[in-house]
Amino acid sequence: MEIKLKKVQKKHLPLLKELAKSLHIEMEEEVKSPYNKEFVAKILKGDKDLKEGKGVSIALEDIWK
């Protein structure tokens, strides 16, 4: 059987963890990110590419030309 608790206050989480431990209940935490996983992957790939020298430098004055 599975039970999901929603909107648990952070101050109550240690108590719930201790209760689950004392009752020998397996407890999993799921943290949802407000960011799209594909978008995050693109940003991280871009950072990696820049570190590897795969980027192009453009002077600030030349951006709007």
Side-chain angles (χ1 to χ4, degrees):
M1 177 170 56
E2 290 186 19
I3 297 174
K4 286 188 178 184
L5 301 173
K6 296 183 179 184
K7 298 183 180 181
V8 175
Q9 294 179 9
K10 286 185 180 183
K11 66 180 180 180
H12 295 143
L13 194 55
L15 176 63
L16 291 171
K17 285 182 179 181
E18 192 62 36
L19 179 61
K21 184 178 175 182
S22 68
L23 295 173
H24 305 288
I25 297 173
E26 182 181 335
M27 186 170 173
E28 293 180 11
E29 288 183 59
E30 182 180 316
V31 179
K32 291 187 180 182
S33 175
Y35 302 106
N36 181 316
K37 290 179 184 179
E38 293 173 4
F39 176 72
V40 172
K42 285 181 183 181
I43 298 300
L44 293 175
K45 183 183 181 306
D47 288 344
K48 179 183 171 193
D49 288 347
L50 284 175
K51 289 179 182 175
E52 294 174 355
K54 296 181 183 177
V56 176
S57 293
I58 299 175
L60 188 59
E61 302 84 34
D62 297 334
I63 289 179
W64 302 110
K65 288 185 179 181

